[in-house]
Amino acid sequence: MNKLPRSFYDRDTRLVAQELLGKFLIHKSGGVERVGKIVEVEAYLGEHDLAAHSSKGLTARTKTMFGPPGFAYVYLIYGIHHCMNVVTEREAHASAVLLRALEPVKNLEGRTCGPGLLCRAINIDRRLNAHDLLSSEFFIADPEAAEKFSIVKRPRIGVDYAKHWAKRQLRFYIKDNPFVSRR
DNA sequence: TGCACGATGAAC
DNA sequence: TTCATCGTGCAC
């Protein structure tokens, strides 16, 4: 499979988000290779985006978001679940794409619809924060055969506190895909 | 040093 | 609709 280059991530976040749909997320751990097709994402546009963690500025947690593109930003939410993001655009732009759902392709365990479930199924936790997505055991790749699909745009989930930013259509998913977390 | 609160998921 | 559960960010 064709691993996505750094330049893929170093572009407009909304564009990267939509182009990540249909791509394969690969994680090799404990001698097992797990693969899922990305079917739902959300874009977080940077420090000015009130829904983005980076809107609070550079902190210990958000350091990865302020780093260069093509790295994983993984954090613990509600003390229970992990969320996996891909850092986009130039260093210090502090933007990222949250992966919300996968369609199982290989060795995924349990459900994969929703950011927390997705991380559990493909064995991602915060030890993978700041991990390079151009590495050999954790990366995103183009599938062998690209499929045709329509992209649905909706407001992001769970960001009602973000004032007008909560209304922006920055959630993208593959139309009619059964693994999308919620209609 | 303490405390309110999540980019969620599951149960009731 | 409620709750589990803990790291983070900010108030004091």
Side-chain angles (χ1 to χ4, degrees):
Chain A
M1 266 182 292
N2 215 356
K3 188 184 301 179
L4 301 181
R6 185 87 55 205
S7 56
F8 175 91
Y9 304 102
D10 190 11
R11 297 180 298 153
D12 179 84
T13 303
R14 280 162 295 186
L15 182 63
V16 174
Q18 291 173 80
E19 290 194 9
L20 277 173
L21 294 175
K23 299 286 193 284
F24 283 3
L25 175 65
I26 294 112
H27 183 209
K28 301 173 188 173
S29 61
V32 181
E33 179 184 68
R34 299 173 212 276
V35 183
K37 185 173 81 176
I38 299 168
V39 298
E40 178 184 353
V41 298
E42 282 179 2
Y44 288 85
L45 303 187
E47 282 188 273
H48 57 294
D49 178 354
L50 295 180
H53 290 169
S54 55
S55 65
K56 288 174 179 162
L58 176 58
T59 65
R61 177 174 67 151
T62 62
K63 190 176 169 192
T64 309
M65 275 190 87
F66 285 81
F71 285 76
Y73 168 47
V74 183
Y75 64 91
L76 185 65
I77 186 66
Y78 297 106
I80 306 172
H81 308 287
H82 293 277
C83 288
M84 156 81 190
N85 300 252
V86 172
V87 178
T88 58
E89 307 202 35
R90 68 181 187 281
E91 185 166 356
H93 190 275
S95 51
V97 175
L98 170 69
L99 306 187
R100 288 194 57 91
L102 298 176
E103 177 179 317
V105 174
K106 185 180 175 187
N107 290 329
L108 294 193
E109 296 164 14
R111 304 196 64 196
T112 55
C113 50
L117 290 172
L118 172 163
C119 285
R120 184 198 298 179
I122 203 165
N123 200 23
I124 291 173
D125 63 36
R126 67 187 197 284
R127 287 173 298 184
L128 286 173
N129 181 42
H131 197 98
D132 193 350
L133 289 172
L134 271 75
S135 60
S136 57
E137 71 287 349
F138 189 35
F139 59 94
I140 298 173
D142 256 318
E144 304 290 337
E147 49 159 344
K148 279 272 186 182
F149 54 77
S150 297
I151 297 176
V152 179
K153 303 176 185 182
R154 291 282 183 272
R156 293 171 294 187
I157 304 287
V159 296
D160 292 341
Y161 57 85
K163 302 180 181 177
H164 66 281
W165 282 94
K167 304 191 187 97
R168 300 267 316 255
Q169 302 207 127
L170 294 171
R171 174 177 175 234
F172 308 99
Y173 59 84
I174 295 179
K175 187 175 191 228
D176 298 328
N177 187 286
F179 296 93
V180 167
S181 71
R182 173 190 147 187
R183 306 270 137 163

